[in-house]
Amino acid sequence: MTDPAGPAAPAAPAYPAELAPAARLWPALAAVYRAQLSRARVARIPLLFVATFQSIGIMVLMRGVVAAGPGEEARAVVAGASVLVVAFVGLNLLAQYFGQLRAAGGLDHYATLPVPPAAVVLGVAAAYASFTVPGVLVTALTGSLLFQLPLTGLWVLLAVIPLSGAALAGLGAALGLLAPRPELATVCGQLGMSAALLLGVLPPSGMPLPLQWARDLLPSTYGVEALMATFEPAPDWASVMVDLGVCAAVGVVTLVLAAWAYRRAARR
């Protein structure tokens, strides 16, 4: 005889099933980086041309009022315009990207993936910073020829680009993730890029003291200072290494802030 109550329900397991382990940081970072690089390649290349032409146009305009040669003004214009390409992409565009991603609910997609928050922030920031490499090289080479500055120290861009890119991309990501609306993220990114422009291409010795303090707080300043020093007839390489070290430390701080902002935004 069959049981009128029907077949018995299977017994519940004593312990819940274990989830798969989360991906490790570096493999997850590489996966996010490749995905973002392939996705943004078509959309960001025209913007890279805009950033490069903008910086070259600023140098052409400044050439009318700044004499060529290894003076402080010429060195500041070329170094500031070169790092401005990084600020345009890493700070401005990344702030807009994360602001729009948060507003559209795109963070939910990343939050469901078993990847550490740091991998998402670092992967996206590295992908955006990669687009700045050709623009910075072209800008620095053009400016050096335009202002008759030596080309022998341009190899330092191999360190300036990733370190400044990390610092500015971390700041841009944090601004985009912390802004309550995407419009405010766009405004913050534009203001940050404008600060990098005004405080980067002007020689610090002629600035009022409050502007010098503001310049010291800007992450791109130390990349500009390192590149400026290489244009001198006898570069102080110890000072260059100090500036690069400060830029690296600022990059770590901004990327940690961006990872915290990502976790905060993903949980809301």
Side-chain angles (χ1 to χ4, degrees):
M1 251 182 105
T2 56
D3 187 358
Y15 301 98
E18 295 185 2
L19 297 176
R24 291 177 296 172
L25 174 63
W26 294 112
L29 190 156
V32 174
Y33 173 78
R34 288 194 299 268
Q36 287 294 324
L37 199 64
S38 60
R39 178 180 301 176
R41 184 181 295 120
V42 176
R44 300 308 175 193
I45 285 180
L47 294 175
L48 176 61
F49 280 112
V50 172
T52 305
F53 291 151
Q54 172 184 262
S55 295
I56 293 177
I58 290 171
M59 292 190 300
V60 171
L61 291 175
M62 295 297 291
R63 182 63 181 86
V65 295
V66 174
E72 184 186 23
E73 293 83 1
R75 291 187 288 111
V77 169
V78 177
S82 300
V83 178
L84 181 63
V85 179
V86 184
F88 181 87
V89 177
L91 176 57
N92 183 26
L93 295 185
L94 204 57
Q96 296 181 32
Y97 172 79
F98 272 109
Q100 295 171 358
L101 193 69
R102 180 186 177 190
L107 292 181
D108 296 339
H109 166 71
Y110 286 106
T112 58
L113 299 177
V115 296
V120 176
V121 173
L122 288 173
V124 176
Y128 272 71
S130 298
F131 286 104
T132 67
V133 175
V136 175
L137 295 177
V138 170
T139 302
L141 181 60
T142 303
S144 299
L145 296 175
L146 187 63
F147 286 87
Q148 301 175 15
L149 297 175
L151 303 176
T152 54
L154 290 184
W155 60 267
V156 81
L157 288 173
L158 297 176
V160 170
I161 293 174
L163 296 179
S164 298
L168 291 169
L171 180 59
L175 291 175
L177 291 167
L178 293 175
R181 295 198 305 271
E183 295 83 4
L184 291 178
T186 300
V187 170
C188 291
Q190 292 282 353
L191 290 176
M193 189 193 69
S194 300
L197 166 61
L198 297 175
L199 300 178
V201 301
L202 298 177
S205 61
M207 294 182 180
L209 192 58
L211 288 182
Q212 293 184 19
W213 293 339
R215 187 175 184 271
D216 291 339
L217 294 176
L218 195 65
S220 60
T221 295
Y222 304 97
V224 173
E225 290 285 346
L227 186 56
M228 280 181 62
T230 64
F231 293 134
E232 296 179 0
D236 184 358
W237 294 110
S239 175
V240 171
M241 296 305 296
V242 170
D243 287 325
L244 292 177
V246 174
C247 194
V250 173
V252 171
V253 172
T254 58
L255 288 171
V256 169
L257 174 63
W260 171 82
Y262 167 81
R263 287 193 296 267
R264 177 177 177 270
R267 291 171 182 171
R268 289 194 169 187

